[in-house]
Amino acid sequence: MMGILCGDLMAGIDDYLGSVDWENLPDSYGGTADVPRYLRSLALARPKEWDAVYEALYERLVNQGSRFAASAYAVPVIVGVLGSLPERRKVALLRLLSYVAVGEDQAYLRGDFNPAEARRDLEAGRHLSWAGSGLRVERAEMAAYDAVMRETAVVGGLLTDESPQVRMWAAYLLGLFPEKAEDTVPVLRAALARESDPEAAATTAIAAGLVGSPDDASVASLLETRLRARHRLERWGAAIGLAWWDGKPSSLVARTLDECIDLGRSQSVEVPFYGGCIDVMASLAKEGRHRRR
């Protein structure tokens, strides 16, 4: 579905929406009569109407962490309008894409959802992400995750956006797709090398650690540089990224993780992972939670 919105934006949206059999793609309400209308309104709605359109679309594509058959097919339009929107709307849609991909990210970060294993299980007729996890992964949810994963090139382009919030949420979203590391790690590395905003830098550091290969020394080099940054939040993000990157934290990384666990809860920071709980992220990193199996 990637790249389906080319040329004139609205013409591309209309062509795409008309090509999808929405009647046979249920949303959280059971039907999809309103989904195409809301998707079209993402690019057209006036400021006072846009929030209501967004909330209505969110309710239909994501409900209590579940995704539906319509969720995957909404992704090309959501991604297609990103470049034409102001900062606040870009951030809202990046957040929506993250929910379409994994719902609340806690299960993914705890290791209860392993995308590659879940996909293999579904292809084999099983419904568990891996034996003993107790987590059911439905086909619609896997399709939604894969639909967002196919758009990582567009999301990666937002790492150069002028808005630190947009860059932060784009980096966060890339951290959810370890199977795309070959494409995303280079852009995350470049973003981390130039990032000046502490929250965006911390988020980018965590994302790079989540998806970076332990064989990629360039990831470690950049994270180690941030580990000695002036801003505490950058150091915390770098420590989490390094611990996730190789699962063998050095003494400095371990001390920094402990500092984050002790102080992170009381800090007013916006790093999207685990619902903004950077102290929990540090705890998971310290426990060696990662998905390389």
Side-chain angles (χ1 to χ4, degrees), residues 105-106 109-110 206 236 240 244 257 259-266 269 271 273-289:
D105 67 6
Q106 287 88 338
L109 294 168
R110 289 194 307 263
I206 295 172
W236 291 351
I240 294 169
W244 231 293
L257 291 175
E259 179 187 69
C260 183
I261 293 167
D262 291 340
L263 302 178
R265 186 179 305 174
S266 62
V269 298
V271 173
F273 291 102
Y274 216 93
C277 298
I278 195 168
D279 57 313
V280 178
M281 283 297 292
S283 295
L284 293 176
K286 189 176 180 181
E287 292 170 8
R289 298 291 188 102

Side-chain angles (χ1 to χ4, degrees), residues 93-196:
L93 291 187
L94 287 168
R95 189 192 303 259
L96 176 58
L97 287 171
S98 75
Y99 287 131
V100 170
V102 297
E104 298 288 344
D105 67 6
Q106 287 88 338
Y108 171 76
L109 294 168
R110 289 194 307 263
D112 295 334
F113 169 57
N114 181 308
E117 293 191 10
R119 193 177 296 104
R120 288 195 297 269
D121 286 345
L122 285 171
E123 289 173 356
R126 299 186 296 268
H127 290 279
L128 294 181
S129 59
W130 66 67
S133 73
L135 180 74
R136 293 180 64 85
V137 179
E138 304 296 340
R139 291 191 181 279
E141 294 174 334
M142 198 70 244
Y145 177 87
D146 288 343
V148 181
M149 184 170 67
R150 285 192 288 270
E151 304 291 355
T152 51
V154 177
V155 175
L158 295 175
L159 292 174
T160 59
D161 194 273
E162 63 182 17
S163 164
Q165 285 282 302
V166 172
R167 299 195 302 269
M168 178 180 72
W169 278 93
Y172 164 71
L173 192 55
L174 294 183
L176 303 179
F177 302 105
E179 294 164 293
K180 296 291 286 185
E182 184 177 347
D183 300 322
T184 60
V185 168
V187 295
L188 285 168
R189 281 200 312 255
L192 189 58
R194 64 175 176 264
E195 186 56 69
S196 59

Side-chain angles (χ1 to χ4, degrees), residues 2-236:
M2 187 179 73
I4 203 164
L5 302 179
C6 301
D8 180 76
L9 177 62
M10 291 314 303
I13 289 175
D14 287 339
D15 288 346
Y16 174 69
L17 293 177
S19 71
V20 176
D21 182 13
W22 295 101
E23 291 185 4
N24 292 310
L25 296 172
D27 60 11
S28 66
Y29 285 28
T32 52
D34 293 328
V35 169
R37 176 167 60 88
Y38 288 131
L39 287 170
R40 195 172 191 278
S41 296
L42 286 177
L44 297 175
R46 296 177 221 169
K48 291 184 179 179
E49 301 168 345
W50 196 88
D51 288 350
V53 168
Y54 173 85
E55 290 298 331
L57 190 60
Y58 173 87
E59 289 175 1
R60 283 158 176 77
L61 301 182
V62 183
N63 189 310
Q64 298 182 345
S66 297
R67 279 84 69 213
F68 308 89
S71 304
Y73 286 86
V75 169
V77 178
I78 296 171
V79 172
V81 303
L82 273 173
S84 65
L85 298 178
E87 174 192 25
R88 188 175 70 84
R89 296 187 188 184
K90 283 182 184 176
V91 170
L93 291 187
L94 287 168
R95 189 192 303 259
L96 176 58
L97 287 171
S98 75
Y99 287 131
V100 170
V102 297
E104 298 288 344
D105 67 6
Q106 287 88 338
Y108 171 76
L109 294 168
R110 289 194 307 263
D112 295 334
F113 169 57
N114 181 308
E117 293 191 10
R119 193 177 296 104
R120 288 195 297 269
D121 286 345
L122 285 171
E123 289 173 356
R126 299 186 296 268
H127 290 279
L128 294 181
S129 59
W130 66 67
S133 73
L135 180 74
R136 293 180 64 85
V137 179
E138 304 296 340
R139 291 191 181 279
E141 294 174 334
M142 198 70 244
Y145 177 87
D146 288 343
V148 181
M149 184 170 67
R150 285 192 288 270
E151 304 291 355
T152 51
V154 177
V155 175
L158 295 175
L159 292 174
T160 59
D161 194 273
E162 63 182 17
S163 164
Q165 285 282 302
V166 172
R167 299 195 302 269
M168 178 180 72
W169 278 93
Y172 164 71
L173 192 55
L174 294 183
L176 303 179
F177 302 105
E179 294 164 293
K180 296 291 286 185
E182 184 177 347
D183 300 322
T184 60
V185 168
V187 295
L188 285 168
R189 281 200 312 255
L192 189 58
R194 64 175 176 264
E195 186 56 69
S196 59
D197 179 81
E199 290 182 340
T203 303
T204 306
I206 295 172
L210 283 169
V211 300
S213 167
D215 299 327
D216 190 346
S218 63
V219 171
S221 177
L222 283 170
L223 292 175
E224 287 167 357
T225 298
R226 292 283 179 171
L227 190 61
R228 293 166 174 80
R230 180 180 60 84
H231 199 286
R232 174 186 289 166
L233 184 56
E234 292 182 53
R235 300 196 299 271
W236 291 351

